[in-house]
Amino acid sequence: MKTCKINAFDKNKRISTQDLLQLIQEEIDKGKTDFEINACGQHDIAGALWAKNKNKKLNFTIRNPGQRVGAMAMKNTFITVIGSASADVGWLNSGAEIIVKGDAGDTASHCAASGKIFIAGRTGARSGALMKHDPKFKQPEFWVLKNTGSFSFEFMGGGIGVVCGFECGDLPSVLGSRSCVGMVGGVIYVRGKIEDLASCVEVVSLNKEDKKFLKEGLKEFLEKIDKEELYSKLTKFNEWKKIIPASKEKKVKKISVAEFKKNHWFKEGLFGDLVEDNGEIFYLGQSGCARLRKPFWNKKLCIGCNLCLNNCPNQAIEKQNNNYISKDTLCTGCGICEAVCPKSAWNTEDIF
Ligand code: SF4
Ligand code: SF4
């Protein structure tokens, strides 16, 4: 099919992001699947597009995109950025393949839930942060040829990050500073120096499956970014390490927020030089009639396992004579009781 070429400027006037996205969607609705887009920094290009026939592949070649190229892009979307891309490449990627043939800005692959992102250069701060894995879908992959900026992979809950540390010279860490803070799931493969990792993770050696995954994955990655010649250099697995969430035994002991602020955050408290901070936490959840939802309990379904009682974050559930009662003054309608109940005995309904 003929490629649809779009210049995102008209008579030297840049067209808006919204107009460009509408134009692309109109062409998709007419049946177009292949796009070449010369952008002027417009945002969200090729993200979250629905082809009428969901099995149709949508192909994009993009130059000079703005932020969030491929954000929330779905399965069967294939994006190649010629040159570098700005922040949020593949934000919340939902199944697309995204190739950046240069560097990527901050927060590349942030929140990615599925699909693959391939970066031929470096990425900025907070890249790979909050990646996750819903077992209903294939886990997300995020491949970087060189290094990431600081705070990379923080709060990672699932998925796979691969940082090849190519041409990183004297960098003290190919993952930047304070990487992996709050990481609870997933795996990161790293080649090159790493330091200043969060204490919630541990560094281990590769096993047979890891090497197999990298052998196959690196082949695909290097082909996508036109760097096949690096394959033998990057497959010396004694140069690689694996980062995973620390086992329970190795995790640091939990401490109170007040103690954390006093001894581990800024030593004097966040604004210690200006105001006194006693570590008190202000609770902002809406309860009572300000809630949007309220849980209802069905006695006939309940088996009395107490899961709801033990998991309610607000201690709102009380057991009285084998009946479970949610106290309006404490309940925020969060729905956790409904989610944990094995018998669907709680049902949270909108009350507005
Ligand atoms: S909705 Fe949330 S706060 Fe309310 S009872 Fe259930 S778990 Fe507790
Ligand atoms: S979790 Fe469900 S079954 Fe268990 S006590 Fe609560 S309502 Fe009953």
Side-chain angles (χ1 to χ4, degrees), residues 297 302-308 324 341-343 345-346:
W297 179 68
C302 177
I303 53 168
C305 67
N306 282 347
L307 270 174
C308 56
Y324 290 83
C341 177
K343 294 290 170 187
W346 285 103

Side-chain angles (χ1 to χ4, degrees), residues 238-286:
N238 58 342
E239 295 175 354
W240 288 82
K241 298 170 202 83
K242 177 166 95 163
I243 301 171
I244 52 172
S247 56
K248 228 174 175 183
E249 305 75 58
K250 290 196 178 159
K251 273 200 172 134
V252 280
K253 202 173 115 267
K254 277 192 181 166
I255 53 170
S256 70
V257 173
E259 191 192 332
F260 172 75
K261 281 183 167 178
K262 191 158 168 252
N263 298 322
H264 300 273
W265 195 234
F266 299 132
K267 287 268 188 272
E268 306 290 321
L270 194 47
F271 298 105
D273 49 341
L274 302 173
V275 287
E276 268 189 25
D277 180 0
N278 62 7
E280 196 178 344
I281 297 169
F282 293 96
Y283 188 65
L284 298 172
Q286 301 281 17

Side-chain angles (χ1 to χ4, degrees), residues 164-190:
C164 301
F166 178 66
E167 283 183 347
C168 285
D170 292 333
L171 276 184
S173 172
V174 299
L175 297 180
S177 297
R178 300 196 68 193
S179 178
C180 306
V181 172
M183 178 177 170
V184 291
V187 52
I188 306 161
Y189 297 105
V190 196

Side-chain angles (χ1 to χ4, degrees), residues 274-330:
L274 302 173
V275 287
E276 268 189 25
D277 180 0
N278 62 7
E280 196 178 344
I281 297 169
F282 293 96
Y283 188 65
L284 298 172
Q286 301 281 17
S287 59
C289 57
R291 281 171 301 176
L292 297 176
R293 298 184 305 159
K294 175 181 164 108
F296 294 89
W297 179 68
N298 184 338
K299 184 174 181 139
K300 284 188 202 143
L301 299 174
C302 177
I303 53 168
C305 67
N306 282 347
L307 270 174
C308 56
L309 192 110
N310 295 333
N311 282 285
C312 171
N314 302 310
Q315 285 86 47
I317 298 178
E318 254 185 28
K319 193 174 182 179
Q320 293 174 5
N321 302 324
N322 289 330
N323 291 324
Y324 290 83
I325 293 157
S326 158
K327 288 199 274 184
D328 282 348
T329 46
L330 296 175

